[in-house]
Amino acid sequence: MGHVTQTWMRPAEAREHVPPTGRPWIARPAEAFSAAALRERLIGNVRSWRDYPPSLQFWFWLVPVVTSVIGGILRFVRLDSPPSLVFDETYYVKDAYSYLVSGYERQWPDKANDSFNAGNPAILLDSPEYVVHPPVGKWMIAGGMWLFGSDNPFGWRFGAALTGTLSILLLTLIALKLFRSLPLAAAAGLLLAVDGHHLVMSRTSLLDIFLMFWLLAAFGALLLDRDDGRRRLAARVARLAAASTAGRPSGRQLLAGPWLGIRWWRVTAGVCMGLAVGTKWSGLFFLAVFGLLTVLWDLNARRVAGIRGWISGGIIKDGLPAFASMVPVAALVYTATWTGWFRSGDAYFRRWAQDNPSSAWGWVPDSLRSLAHYHLEAYKFHQGLGSEHPYEASAWSWLVMGRPTSFYYQQPGPETLECEAARCASAILSVGNPVIWWSAAISLVVLLFWWAGRRDWRAGAILAGVGAGYLPWFLYPERTMFFFYAVSFEPFLILALVYCLGLVLGRETEPLWRRRSGLYLVALFVAAAVLLSAFFYPLWTAETIPYQEWRIRMWMPSWI
């Protein structure tokens, strides 16, 4: 099922009509606007999972579930270790507890971490706290604390671990949708499940794992919308042709093409994007890129369907509805995520508008003016965030993992039961699996050639996801940045790597020996990645190991 390099998927009986260029000819021009011909041109032989035999449907669900279970085991086992707040958990976990208590962030007394770590979080002050990140991720952390308590690390980290596990399920399903290959879908899910960077972010309650999840969910929704929109276009153009005595739509009808109605998967993507931006503002770059991507898909669909004014018609009948389906929806969802702030009486800046009346903007409700001021001040904070940090990492170094972030490091004494060496180490380092990350970096170059040379839309979609999460950081060279920000686009790096594994796997039409050799090579690569993850696992989960073993795992001096 390795249809990785094929853009057009034609049934065997029609292959004689495919010229050497690989692009299909229309065998019977009189039938060019039939429903079957349009569907074949627009989506190839893509079928619903319900159209496959039950035995294959079973595997379609089993593979994503198995990869998710493997990832879940790695994320939930020893989730309460270390039994203390690590790195930026000191902000987000305590903010999440404050949300449970009051619906907004409140200040903490000095040395609050000691009390929090001891299982006594009920020491909140009454004064509001000024924070610069939106609420969604902190509410998701708070959900785990509500279920399992705020007085234990498992409760603090449950939301992150569950979200990381669900993202493995999502990526496996997305890979199955993109590549229509069970081996490649399994490889995508397993590589994400065992990668250390994603694992660390799933076992610590920072915001970025939640951002990544909602971005991936939005991308999946847009993939479903792409096929749904093309099916609608094929059906409606075919209906116009059937109603015509000439057997094809009139020139006027083909000038712009039909409306496609409300695209509910696109609305779903807008909801997910609102939740992503409601986690971190960097989701705005994805909203812009994904919005452009889905419109470009629609423009090309109209061109392939035979619409003459496919640019103008696509912009008017697809582009404007796409904007309305995503941007206002995302804005409404984002605003709704501040409900706790709106309902409060003394959250930070909540009464700013009452204290600062405006003749020009007085018509705007005070609550919205206060929220706008809050955002303006937060934006200024982010713009001026340039303080030095020992683990800051320029975006140039992210793909090669030049400076991963150390979340936790201790040197337990020789009396510990977990380590009998004279000197021991316990660490959490957000370094990824080198085989996965360095291969994925090379894969991006391959995808650039395949997108430009073969015009494979899948390569372009994957590159768009990487670019939306990676390239904007180069606009802020003076800002303090960390490697763990890269988790937002890590699933797309995995997809890029799996795309190249699909090239190794080969097409279904190739000889059996070629397919078998490709499968062996793909399996060998995945096995090597799994074994290397087992080697690095202690660095990701705060296991206590001899100091010398910790040093052996420091492959680059900049990792220390």
Side-chain angles (χ1 to χ4, degrees):
M1 298 181 67
H3 294 295
V4 176
T5 61
Q6 288 185 298
T7 303
W8 270 271
M9 309 300 177
R10 298 178 62 86
E13 63 271 16
R15 284 175 186 157
E16 65 271 16
H17 301 298
V18 180
T21 60
R23 292 195 175 272
W25 289 337
I26 297 176
R28 299 178 180 84
E31 300 176 4
F33 290 96
S34 67
L38 284 165
R39 281 174 61 89
E40 185 181 340
R41 294 209 304 273
L42 288 169
I43 60 175
N45 61 359
V46 174
R47 294 184 291 172
S48 169
W49 68 275
R50 298 182 184 87
D51 298 329
Y52 289 92
S55 59
L56 202 52
Q57 291 182 28
F58 171 76
W59 286 100
F60 285 167
W61 287 109
L62 181 63
V63 168
V65 168
V66 168
T67 57
S68 302
V69 169
I70 293 172
I73 292 172
L74 294 174
R75 280 149 184 78
F76 281 100
V77 171
R78 298 181 63 252
L79 183 60
D80 56 354
S81 180
S84 59
L85 297 170
V86 299
F87 199 59
D88 281 355
E89 282 186 336
T90 186
Y91 304 115
Y92 307 127
V93 171
K94 290 188 295 186
D95 285 346
Y97 175 78
S98 182
Y99 275 34
L100 284 178
V101 173
S102 58
Y104 63 95
E105 298 91 343
R106 284 159 53 181
Q107 289 186 348
W108 294 80
D110 294 338
K111 299 182 179 181
N113 282 9
D114 295 337
S115 180
F116 208 97
N117 293 335
N120 179 29
I123 54 173
L124 269 173
L125 302 178
D126 292 331
S127 51
E129 178 68 85
Y130 175 58
V131 297
V132 293
H133 288 300
V136 172
K138 288 169 279 190
W139 275 117
M140 295 177 76
I141 297 171
M145 300 170 77
W146 177 74
L147 287 172
F148 298 101
S150 305
D151 57 352
N152 66 91
F154 187 88
W156 309 341
R157 298 171 185 148
F158 175 82
L162 179 62
T163 301
T165 303
L166 291 176
S167 68
I168 297 169
L169 177 67
L170 268 180
L171 184 69
T172 310
L173 293 171
I174 287 171
L176 190 59
K177 179 72 175 174
L178 279 176
F179 307 126
R180 284 181 283 158
S181 167
L182 282 169
L184 295 182
L190 189 57
L191 290 174
L192 188 65
V194 303
D195 179 66
H197 187 236
H198 189 272
L199 179 64
V200 168
M201 299 306 295
S202 301
R203 291 174 58 92
T204 50
S205 285
L206 275 65
L207 302 181
D208 301 80
I209 194 70
F210 306 109
L211 169 66
M212 178 276 304
F213 174 80
W214 292 117
L215 295 173
L216 190 60
F219 182 74
L222 290 178
L223 287 179
L224 293 172
D225 172 75
R226 182 183 185 274
D227 282 358
D228 178 62
R230 289 179 173 232
R231 289 190 186 98
R232 293 191 192 191
L233 182 62
R236 298 191 183 197
V237 172
R239 217 162 28 235
L240 294 175
S244 171
T245 56
R248 56 174 294 163
S250 66
R252 182 177 181 181
Q253 291 171 328
L254 289 176
L255 186 61
W259 295 92
L260 301 184
I262 299 176
R263 308 267 287 270
W264 292 109
W265 281 117
R266 192 174 270 167
V267 173
T268 301
V271 172
C272 294
M273 290 307 308
L275 294 170
V277 178
T279 304
K280 268 193 164 184
W281 287 356
S282 52
L284 286 169
F285 297 112
F286 284 87
L287 176 60
V289 172
F290 285 177
L292 179 61
L293 184 66
T294 188
V295 172
L296 291 177
W297 286 344
D298 282 348
L299 291 178
N300 186 60
R302 288 180 181 268
R303 179 185 65 82
V304 173
I307 307 301
R308 296 175 182 176
W310 55 274
I311 296 179
S312 58
I315 291 174
I316 295 172
K317 296 191 174 183
D318 291 322
L320 296 180
F323 180 90
S325 299
M326 292 183 66
V327 176
V329 169
L332 288 173
V333 171
Y334 175 82
T335 304
T337 65
W338 288 83
T339 299
W341 184 89
F342 281 119
R343 295 184 63 185
S344 70
D346 56 353
Y348 210 88
F349 283 137
R350 182 62 183 84
R351 301 296 178 187
W352 180 86
Q354 288 92 323
D355 298 335
N356 296 270
S358 170
S359 57
W361 297 98
W363 56 274
V364 178
D366 287 346
S367 58
L368 292 180
R369 273 210 310 131
S370 297
L371 186 62
H373 179 75
Y374 194 133
H375 281 63
L376 178 62
E377 293 301 313
Y379 178 77
K380 292 177 181 177
F381 172 86
H382 284 296
Q383 287 291 92
L385 189 61
S387 58
E388 293 186 2
H389 192 282
Y391 285 97
E392 62 181 304
S394 168
W396 291 104
S397 69
W398 290 359
L399 293 181
V400 296
M401 301 185 298
R403 185 60 169 166
T405 311
S406 175
F407 285 14
Y408 174 83
Y409 181 82
Q410 295 288 332
Q411 288 192 353
E415 69 279 357
T416 178
L417 298 178
E418 300 179 23
C419 176
E420 297 179 355
R423 190 178 180 190
C424 302
S426 176
I428 298 177
L429 184 68
S430 70
V431 64
N433 183 310
V435 166
I436 296 175
W437 275 78
W438 295 342
S439 299
I442 297 172
S443 298
L444 294 177
V445 180
V446 177
L447 260 69
L448 279 171
F449 281 101
W450 239 256
W451 174 58
R454 298 292 184 93
R455 298 185 181 180
D456 191 333
W457 68 270
R458 290 164 295 183
I462 295 167
L463 290 171
V466 175
Y470 186 40
L471 297 181
W473 293 103
F474 291 96
L475 301 175
Y476 308 99
E478 302 301 324
R479 191 187 188 280
T480 303
M481 292 177 280
F482 299 93
F483 169 64
F484 66 81
Y485 294 173
V487 77
S488 66
F489 61 87
E490 180 176 352
F492 299 97
L493 288 177
I494 298 293
L495 290 175
L497 174 55
V498 172
Y499 184 101
C500 292
L501 291 179
L503 301 180
V504 175
L505 182 62
R507 303 184 185 187
E508 282 186 343
T509 56
E510 293 179 341
L512 180 60
W513 68 266
R514 167 67 179 84
R515 292 277 297 173
R516 185 173 295 171
S517 300
L519 183 60
Y520 288 158
L521 289 174
V522 170
L524 182 63
F525 178 89
V526 174
V530 171
L531 290 174
L532 190 59
S533 288
F535 174 73
F536 277 100
Y537 187 76
L539 288 186
W540 302 330
T541 59
E543 286 190 2
T544 301
I545 58 176
Y547 178 80
Q548 189 58 35
E549 291 190 18
W550 174 82
R551 286 287 303 185
I552 291 174
R553 290 164 173 81
M554 295 294 104
W555 284 12
M556 297 173 65
S558 59
W559 291 6
I560 300 176

